[in-house]
Amino acid sequence: MEKEGKQSMRVENHPILGEAESQTVVTFTCDGKVMQGYEGEPIAMALRNAGVLVHRHTKKQDKPRGVFCAIGRCTDCVMVVDGIPNIRTCVTPLKEGMVVQTQYGHSEKKEA
Amino acid sequence: MNRYDVIVVGAGPAGLSAAIEAAKLGLKAIVFDENAKPGGQLFKQIHKFFGSKEHKAKVRGFKIGEELLQEASKNGVEVVLNAIVTGLYMDKEVTVKQDDKIVHYKGDTVIIATGASENMVPFEGWTLPGVIGAGAAQTMMNLHRTRPGEKVLMLGSGNVGLVVSYQLLQAGCEVAALVDAAPRVGGYGVHAAKVARCGVPFYLSHTIIKAEGTDCVTGVTIGEVDSSWKIIPGSEKHFDVDTICLAVGLSPMSQLAKMAGCEMEENPLKGGTVPICDEYGETSVKGIFVAGDVSGIEEASSAMIEGRIAGIAAARSLGYIDEEALKEKSKELEAALGSLRQGMFGPGSKGKEIIQTEEGYEISKSLLTKGYIAEDEIFRYPGVTKKTGLHPVIECSQNIPCNPCQDACRKGCIKIGENITSLPVVDQDSECTGCGLCVASCSGQCIFLVEDGIEEGYSAVTMPYEFLPLPRKGDMGAALDRSGTKVCEAEVLEVRVAKAFDHTNLLTIKVPADMTMKARFYVGQEV
Amino acid sequence: MERSIDLGTFVPEPDDDMLICRCEEITKGEIRQAVHDGMFTIEEIRRWLRAGMGLCQGQTCGKLVKGIVAKELKMSPWKIEPATSRAPMRPVEMRIMGNEQLEG
């Protein structure tokens, strides 16, 4: 997918899995930036391919976090999605028009 | 309340197998899984499994997953996805989160097949984005076709660490180093060897000191540890990586069994807190069974058999079959499970240092510390023979339960015998047709075909090759030895791709005669 | 459980500020200090510090916390009393927890 730019981490052809099946491209935003990904893939995968690794900043120490377990267990990759915080982006399917925001503590607002 | 003969928690290899067997015997079975897709971790396993025919050896994990799903649907097993079992209460009442409801179910029997969770290890900077579990790497690249990073450092030399390192290479990542605090490689030597020959350096007795970076990982520092696990000053080494992968073991996810009141035990050999159960997987609570990793960490192959046994036992406990039938049906499965648990990596050998094989061959020290068998060690193994004509060289040096190579050769050139863990022996007198089926059948990718004197001063070496781009006949490149070091120029003589090889392509290269027993991998010329 | 164990004085260690519970941001030093303050079981540590009580419910740090407590008590981790297992096994929103249905 060319639009993702040079950061794309897609494996288009794989020695065991073969060629990737063609997928529907959808548009979403992350912190206001327009991005594209595949419909139904985990939000976190679309973000990784767009070069976004930091999903949230923690409440106490304001430290960056991203994907850790990728199967919905560790909850480190949670973000604010369509206004709802604590959404596990590694297991939540991407949809057209989704509004994804970096989570600070428990909300999308950076605390002063 | 919705009532079922058997409620299975978890649609992984154990859970699906359990539900299939129960349904075959007439039980009304339902399987709940919290994930959007069934199969547990099977669909991330793109490597060929070990074992023998009855364990589906040399079949890749995701194919086994597809077969299980077909079998489940054929037998009328109801699989409910995105269904989180939130609790297991008295009288086997199960609460399940489905959509925005908590729904109550009642099972006359319950089979818990919740699997395992990954262990993690803390170090400075371990919360930085870019530090991920090995399972995460597998999920990203094998399910979602997204490389976790460009350059990866792997911590953990167990089978997970080794297999995932290889899969990272297959997905096109660079693996900068494989690190383990233990003094010896924990996983199968053959898995280590296929990573080492690609040029990945092994650092045993090393651990991560810190992950570097502000917003995400930009590097890592490792250091050597002494016998009391303390870093030896001055031993620090730095790597520029964007990803650190943790593969430091698994723990049974047994909380549900505990909540249900099953008697538990802390068992280091099983990887953590597990319910105490009998040979059929029945816990101290009558009618509640466990199968797979939740009852002790093992391979997916064993999980499937345990699942089948638990399914049959559930049928027995509800009176669908009698005691006689239970014994009859489980006998064969118990035997298959028993054979998988043999060898130097079986539960009985956990934590022990093995210095020689069952046959008395000395274990390669180089394999355990560097990931590959040294040149002066290789000839001690019975699969490695010197001969001028075309013949297989089997660099299998540890007793693991696996025997597909024996069946692969139609000329009977490879013999393992009755004992599934025995090292394969190459029969010097048998004729080798060069068909290459043995090379492709070896899940450990440790079989090569060699032929001396294909022309004056040159030999041919055929190797398993599972990478892209696939070299073409006539290509010039370099041959690498077992350590991944370039040893000579090599010309590609032939590339064989066949359905029977199942994506393990056969690459034949021409090397100088003195490289026959050295050249074990090939890289094309950099463009 | 034996409560009258003499743990000696609390001696700070260089990696005390390393995070152990990623969700609730609890450090190794806080866990060690809690043991010295008399929290000897995982249940007590959870209630006292909230380690293992965050979104992931201790999936990631459970074993690590156990190891730290064990080391502080000079016991085998296998002897440390684990936390109680109770529903819900995964984080569930309150509005869903309250929406119980006997029929699916």
Side-chain angles (χ1 to χ4, degrees):
Chain A
M1 211 161 42
E2 214 176 321
K3 292 183 190 82
E4 286 168 341
K6 48 180 174 257
Q7 297 126 325
S8 174
M9 306 298 280
R10 302 271 181 208
V11 183
E12 296 296 349
N13 200 359
H14 190 283
I16 309 301
L17 301 168
E19 299 258 357
E21 284 169 34
S22 82
Q23 309 241 25
T24 310
V25 175
V26 294
T27 303
F28 68 103
T29 64
C30 177
D31 291 339
K33 253 191 257 169
V34 179
M35 294 176 181
Q36 288 186 316
Y38 293 143
E39 184 177 53
E41 74 175 340
I43 297 168
M45 297 305 120
L47 291 173
R48 182 69 192 86
N49 284 297
V52 178
L53 276 98
V54 179
H55 289 219
R56 67 179 182 112
H57 284 256
T58 59
K59 189 172 171 61
K60 273 192 193 170
Q61 300 192 352
D62 190 30
K63 289 283 165 56
R65 294 286 174 85
V67 170
F68 187 53
C69 82
I71 54 170
R73 296 258 173 81
C74 77
T75 63
D76 244 348
C77 68
V78 297
M79 297 177 88
V80 182
V81 177
D82 290 338
I84 304 167
N86 289 338
I87 300 295
R88 296 171 299 169
T89 55
C90 71
V91 289
T92 305
L94 181 69
K95 290 185 194 128
E96 173 72 39
M98 261 183 172
V99 178
V100 180
Q101 288 168 289
T102 303
Q103 184 168 321
Y104 296 89
H106 301 304
S107 77
E108 76 285 4
K109 285 187 204 73
K110 206 168 185 166
E111 278 157 40
Chain B
M1 208 181 309
N2 302 282
R3 189 163 179 160
Y4 285 85
D5 290 329
V6 58
I7 293 177
V8 181
V9 187
L16 285 175
S17 303
I20 289 167
E21 286 308 312
K24 273 186 191 166
L25 296 171
L27 279 73
K28 191 179 167 204
I30 190 166
V31 187
F32 294 112
D33 195 290
E34 61 180 312
N35 299 293
K37 283 181 182 152
Q41 308 308 306
L42 267 180
F43 285 91
K44 300 162 198 179
Q45 311 307 324
I46 60 167
H47 58 283
K48 294 179 175 175
F49 277 27
F50 291 83
S52 67
K53 268 186 234 154
E54 74 261 28
H55 310 120
K56 298 187 188 290
K58 79 172 179 158
V59 180
R60 295 185 191 273
F62 69 99
K63 292 276 179 204
I64 296 175
E66 284 165 14
E67 287 170 19
L68 268 183
L69 285 181
Q70 276 166 12
E71 204 183 347
S73 102
K74 200 182 79 190
N75 287 290
V77 174
E78 194 179 335
V79 181
V80 187
L81 300 169
N82 295 311
I84 302 171
V85 171
T86 56
L88 173 50
Y89 300 85
M90 251 171 63
D91 299 328
K92 302 178 198 73
E93 190 169 333
V94 177
T95 50
V96 187
K97 177 192 171 281
Q98 289 174 275
D99 299 318
D100 59 353
K101 309 185 288 283
I102 298 286
V103 187
H104 288 245
Y105 293 84
K106 165 100 174 69
D108 290 327
T109 55
V110 171
I111 299 174
I112 302 173
T114 42
S117 60
E118 282 186 290
N119 296 340
M120 294 299 174
V121 57
F123 45 83
E124 190 184 334
W126 78 300
T127 58
L128 274 174
V131 179
I132 59 171
Q138 264 193 327
T139 307
M140 292 178 76
M141 61 191 176
N142 298 343
L143 277 189
H144 306 304
R145 286 176 171 267
T146 295
R147 283 176 291 131
E150 301 283 1
K151 216 171 164 183
V152 187
L153 180 126
M154 176 67 69
L155 180 70
S157 71
N159 277 338
V160 174
L162 296 170
V163 166
V164 175
S165 292
Y166 188 73
Q167 291 174 357
L168 283 161
L169 295 167
Q170 289 181 307
C173 305
E174 188 183 334
V175 180
L178 196 141
V179 176
D180 199 316
R184 294 179 298 274
V185 169
Y188 290 176
V190 284
H191 278 319
K194 65 187 197 188
V195 174
R197 77 172 83 108
C198 293
V200 176
F202 282 51
Y203 292 92
L204 276 296
S205 297
H206 276 71
T207 195
I208 296 176
I209 298 173
K210 63 171 177 182
E212 296 147 7
T214 340
D215 269 346
C216 50
V217 172
T218 54
V220 59
T221 301
I222 65 167
E224 193 175 346
V225 292
D226 61 20
S227 53
S228 61
W229 311 103
K230 291 254 171 1
I231 304 281
I232 301 169
S235 68
E236 296 85 357
K237 290 164 197 78
H238 168 88
F239 296 89
D240 285 324
V241 295
D242 59 8
T243 304
I244 297 168
C245 228
L246 308 178
V248 290
L250 301 167
S251 294
M253 209 150 56
S254 56
Q255 292 92 334
L256 199 60
K258 195 178 171 200
M259 179 185 172
C262 302
E263 203 181 316
M264 309 294 283
E265 63 166 344
E266 300 286 318
N267 189 333
L269 291 176
K270 293 184 169 182
T273 314
V274 290
I276 295 170
C277 59
D278 66 11
E279 77 257 49
Y280 302 119
E282 188 162 18
T283 65
S284 64
V285 179
K286 211 175 153 21
I288 295 185
F289 298 80
V290 286
D293 277 353
V294 67
S295 62
I297 304 299
E298 279 186 83
E299 304 286 330
S301 318
S302 349
M304 288 186 279
I305 303 174
E306 283 180 10
R308 288 188 192 270
I309 293 172
I312 294 165
R316 166 65 198 128
S317 88
L318 295 182
Y320 279 79
I321 55 170
D322 60 18
E323 195 66 23
E324 201 69 357
L326 168 67
K327 287 202 172 119
E328 172 69 29
K329 284 176 187 296
S330 59
K331 209 173 106 190
E332 214 170 291
L333 292 166
E334 299 276 6
L337 194 54
S339 79
L340 274 182
R341 287 175 174 163
Q342 285 169 24
M344 51 181 61
F345 293 89
S349 308
K350 218 164 187 179
K352 290 182 193 155
E353 184 183 1
I354 311 261
I355 51 169
Q356 60 176 35
T357 70
E358 289 157 11
E359 299 88 344
Y361 303 109
E362 203 188 326
I363 299 292
S364 159
K365 286 198 180 65
S366 171
L367 183 64
L368 295 179
T369 52
K370 295 175 187 163
Y372 57 91
I373 303 174
E375 274 166 38
D376 60 352
E377 297 169 322
I378 196 77
F379 284 104
R380 60 171 85 125
Y381 303 108
V384 182
T385 47
K386 267 186 183 153
K387 196 175 162 184
T388 38
L390 178 64
H391 67 286
V393 169
I394 308 184
E395 304 191 348
C396 184
S397 68
Q398 294 173 327
N399 302 116
I400 53 178
C402 191
N403 66 7
C405 57
Q406 172 172 256
D407 301 326
C409 184
R410 284 164 198 164
K411 295 281 178 184
C413 172
I414 302 168
K415 290 191 177 66
I416 287 179
E418 282 300 296
N419 188 356
I420 188 178
T421 58
S422 297
L423 298 190
V425 178
V426 170
D427 180 0
Q428 298 260 42
D429 302 324
S430 289
E431 177 201 2
C432 174
T433 61
C435 72
L437 281 169
C438 59
V439 178
S441 78
C442 176
S443 306
Q445 295 187 28
C446 75
I447 305 185
F448 303 84
L449 298 180
V450 303
E451 185 176 15
D452 280 334
I454 52 158
E455 62 182 75
E456 186 65 43
Y458 285 96
S459 305
V461 177
T462 300
M463 60 191 67
Y465 195 84
E466 292 189 347
F467 295 93
L468 289 177
L470 206 53
R472 281 174 305 191
K473 187 180 173 177
D475 280 1
M476 290 301 294
L480 310 189
D481 67 6
R482 294 180 190 89
S483 75
T485 309
K486 283 185 190 176
V487 285
C488 61
E489 279 202 335
E491 180 190 339
V492 175
L493 294 179
E494 193 183 15
V495 181
R496 281 184 275 172
V497 179
K499 205 169 173 211
F501 300 158
D502 185 16
H503 297 86
T504 307
N505 306 302
L506 266 48
L507 173 67
T508 305
I509 57 172
K510 183 172 104 175
V511 293
D514 58 341
M515 292 294 152
T516 318
M517 287 305 289
K518 289 184 180 171
R520 289 296 175 264
F521 196 60
Y522 169 86
V523 284
Q525 252 156 10
E526 312 242 332
V527 190
Chain C
M1 149 144 229
E2 176 60 52
R3 287 280 166 187
S4 53
I5 310 171
D6 180 15
L7 300 175
T9 43
F10 179 83
V11 183
E13 283 176 15
D15 58 355
D16 272 347
D17 59 355
M18 184 159 65
L19 276 190
I20 299 298
C21 169
R22 298 167 66 105
C23 300
E24 293 291 315
E25 298 178 88
I26 309 296
T27 65
K28 184 178 177 184
E30 287 173 283
I31 297 166
R32 291 181 58 236
Q33 183 64 59
V35 177
H36 282 261
D37 290 344
M39 312 302 143
F40 289 180
T41 67
I42 300 304
E43 195 69 31
E44 287 160 3
I45 294 281
R46 286 173 75 117
R47 287 168 192 246
W48 185 244
L49 292 176
R50 284 198 58 80
M53 296 282 270
L55 266 186
C56 96
Q57 286 291 293
Q59 288 279 349
T60 314
C61 70
K63 226 174 189 174
L64 302 173
V65 173
K66 214 178 196 183
I68 294 166
V69 173
K71 201 174 168 211
E72 224 44 43
L73 292 173
K74 300 179 182 70
M75 278 167 70
S76 154
W78 306 104
K79 295 260 154 53
I80 302 291
E81 199 177 304
T84 307
S85 296
R86 59 167 70 81
M89 287 291 142
R90 295 278 184 271
V92 177
E93 289 164 69
M94 283 310 292
R95 66 177 179 93
I96 299 174
M97 277 296 275
N99 188 16
E100 282 198 89
Q101 306 207 353
L102 286 180
E103 300 295 327

